[in-house]
Amino acid sequence: MSGTNTQYEKVIQSCRDIFLHKTRDYGTSWRVYRPISIVDQIFIKAKRIRTIQENKKQLIGDSIQSEFMGILNYAVIGLIQLEMDNSIGDDLSVEETTKWYDIQVKRAKDLMEQKNHDYGEAWRDMSQESFTDLILAKLLRIKQILANDGQTLVSEGIDANYLDIFNYAAFALILMDEGKH
């Protein structure tokens, strides 16, 4: 498991670096996103990955790896938005944004460690296509929860789905780093 933790932290650090560089470039313009807009941003990236996987061809230079990184970072945005009070405002400092980002990473990592224990790192034997499909399914679940005014009867909420999306993207990135995808 220590190898997994090291790999996990490495891919998360790469995503975090990009997120914070973009925060310096653009500020926290993502604060204006409503919940459905975040879902749609992730959907666009996952749909592009799936299209490239199916067609075995891409015309735009952005790599599948960069799309998984974007999915992970949008999952963080979704988690932050769920927790952050709208009265906080749209303009967060880089320091505040870093704090919020790191809180969500800790939540995702804790969940990853628990699930890795129970599932025996089954994700290591999964295909990139499966990660993409699971992300798309989680997005459809979030859309349905939003259509139900955020309520579920027996199912996990929006945050649990974002945490899973985060971890599926992290797993895909780890396997890509290993040259398996």
Side-chain angles (χ1 to χ4, degrees):
M1 184 74 156
S2 66
T4 296
N5 281 335
T6 301
Q7 290 175 298
Y8 188 88
E9 289 168 7
K10 179 185 172 205
V11 299
I12 301 309
Q13 186 62 49
S14 295
C15 294
R16 183 181 186 268
D17 289 346
I18 290 170
F19 189 89
L20 295 176
H21 288 318
K22 287 190 175 195
T23 298
R24 285 181 180 87
D25 289 346
Y26 301 135
T28 52
S29 57
W30 49 265
R31 286 284 293 140
V32 302
Y33 286 153
R34 290 177 276 188
I36 195 65
S37 299
I38 298 165
V39 171
D40 285 342
Q41 288 297 313
I42 297 170
F43 177 80
I44 290 166
K45 293 183 171 306
K47 184 68 173 166
R48 179 170 184 265
I49 294 168
R50 185 173 177 156
T51 301
I52 293 168
Q53 290 167 340
E54 290 175 351
N55 294 340
K56 309 270 190 261
K57 178 181 178 183
Q58 72 182 69
L59 300 179
I60 296 178
D62 295 340
S63 68
I64 289 176
Q65 182 179 17
S66 71
E67 297 292 13
F68 276 117
M69 293 174 89
I71 287 170
L72 188 148
N73 281 335
Y74 272 111
V76 171
I77 289 170
L79 289 163
I80 292 171
Q81 292 286 69
L82 287 173
E83 284 195 30
M84 192 173 276
D85 187 331
N86 284 336
S87 67
I88 291 176
D90 295 342
D91 192 23
L92 303 176
S93 69
V94 173
E95 293 75 26
E96 287 175 286
T97 304
T98 302
K99 179 189 88 167
W100 281 100
Y101 190 98
D102 291 345
I103 288 167
Q104 302 314 320
V105 166
K106 181 175 180 349
R107 288 179 68 198
K109 185 175 183 199
D110 290 347
L111 179 64
M112 178 275 294
E113 289 173 341
Q114 293 166 10
K115 287 190 174 186
N116 268 354
H117 175 273
D118 288 358
Y119 291 96
E121 293 196 343
W123 60 269
R124 289 195 173 275
D125 297 318
M126 292 172 59
S127 69
Q128 187 182 93
E129 291 82 0
S130 291
F131 291 127
T132 306
D133 293 350
L134 287 165
I135 290 168
L136 288 166
K138 294 288 182 177
L139 293 170
L140 292 173
R141 290 178 182 183
I142 294 171
K143 283 184 179 187
Q144 186 59 55
I145 294 168
L146 290 172
N148 294 339
D149 295 323
Q151 302 300 310
T152 60
L153 299 174
V154 297
S155 303
E156 297 175 315
I158 293 171
D159 62 334
N161 286 284
Y162 278 137
L163 288 166
D164 285 343
I165 289 168
F166 179 106
N167 281 326
Y168 293 144
F171 295 154
L173 290 165
I174 289 169
L175 293 176
M176 291 173 88
D177 278 354
E178 291 181 347
K180 293 184 179 172
H181 291 161

